[in-house]
Amino acid sequence: ENAPPIFNHPEITNLYNNGLFIPRSLLLEIIELPRQTLIEDLEKVINDSIFRYNYFNGIEYSEETHNFVLHAILLLKEINATESLPIIFSFLSLDEEFLNFWLGDHITESLWQCFYGFGKHNTEVLQVFLESPGIYSFCKSAASEALCQIVLHNPEKREEVLHIFEKVLLKFSKASLNDN
């Protein structure tokens, strides 16, 4: 079925009709919605990108109609919805072709900002993501970039982040190709 999800807030449909130059006023209106139902709606948007992937992949790409999942992830970061990390990480653990379709260059250009927002006060979530098998390497690069930015903007976290990189690299050094 190609029907969009039913949202708690009709304002969410604006994410499906606006590209990266979405008016700031629309974003502010969305951010001001009740937190719990907003999070539910933004998670529905992420799931919609999975459920209707074939539909969107079959229609002509448009900046306005194909950036809704990026909007949802960025908005979840903006409202610091750490409870949505499992769904975001699940999305980011899908295959390379899927992720390139939805995020394209944003994987290496913008995604690190989301990881930074979610990880600046909880670097362990970035470590877990980096150590997880089967994740597209450029998504892991974004998490790694976020850790570097955390140190840049919070020098007091240098030892903490170095320890994370040490653990991750040690784990990678013991991994086989089958571990992906």
Side-chain angles (χ1 to χ4, degrees):
E1 185 176 319
N2 294 329
I6 308 233
F7 297 111
N8 296 302
H9 306 286
E11 296 88 343
I12 297 299
T13 59
N14 287 314
L15 302 179
Y16 288 79
N17 304 314
N18 286 277
L20 295 179
F21 298 105
I22 186 170
R24 182 175 171 79
S25 59
L26 286 177
L27 294 173
L28 291 173
E29 182 181 340
I30 291 170
I31 287 173
E32 293 300 318
L33 294 169
R35 180 179 171 80
Q36 191 55 48
T37 51
L38 172 59
I39 290 170
E40 288 173 19
D41 281 352
L42 294 173
E43 289 179 353
K44 281 183 189 177
V45 170
I46 293 172
N47 284 328
D48 188 33
S49 73
I50 298 166
F51 299 143
R52 294 198 300 156
Y53 170 70
N54 289 332
Y55 167 75
F56 283 99
N57 196 25
I59 63 174
E60 185 176 346
Y61 178 86
S62 165
E63 167 76 16
E64 285 73 31
T65 59
H66 285 70
N67 275 307
F68 59 89
V69 71
L70 180 62
H71 288 314
I73 293 170
L74 290 169
L75 285 166
L76 286 166
K77 186 266 306 178
E78 194 63 32
I79 63 170
N80 197 30
T82 55
E83 61 268 43
S84 295
L85 278 174
I87 200 164
I88 293 169
F89 287 169
S90 179
F91 171 83
L92 293 173
S93 59
L94 295 171
D95 68 77
E96 177 181 347
E97 181 181 335
F98 175 88
L99 292 170
N100 277 320
F101 176 80
W102 285 118
L103 300 177
D105 290 343
H106 292 286
I107 294 171
T108 54
E109 299 297 322
S110 310
L111 190 58
W112 72 267
Q113 296 170 36
C114 295
F115 283 118
Y116 177 87
F118 285 123
K120 65 184 171 186
H121 299 297
N122 186 4
T123 55
E124 295 82 23
V125 299
L126 300 181
Q127 178 183 340
V128 168
F129 184 78
L130 284 171
E131 290 180 342
S132 298
I135 294 180
Y136 182 36
S137 58
F138 284 113
C139 288
K140 286 189 177 192
S141 293
S144 177
E145 174 66 22
L147 284 167
C148 294
Q149 290 293 328
I150 288 169
V151 171
L152 180 66
H153 297 287
N154 307 280
E156 70 279 4
K157 292 197 174 250
R158 183 177 186 276
E159 290 305 315
E160 177 183 338
V161 170
L162 284 173
H163 187 65
I164 288 171
F165 278 125
E166 180 181 13
K167 286 181 178 178
V168 169
L169 292 172
L170 186 61
K171 184 166 184 164
F172 285 178
S173 72
K174 296 177 180 174
S176 71
L177 288 177
N178 291 334
D179 294 325
N180 191 8

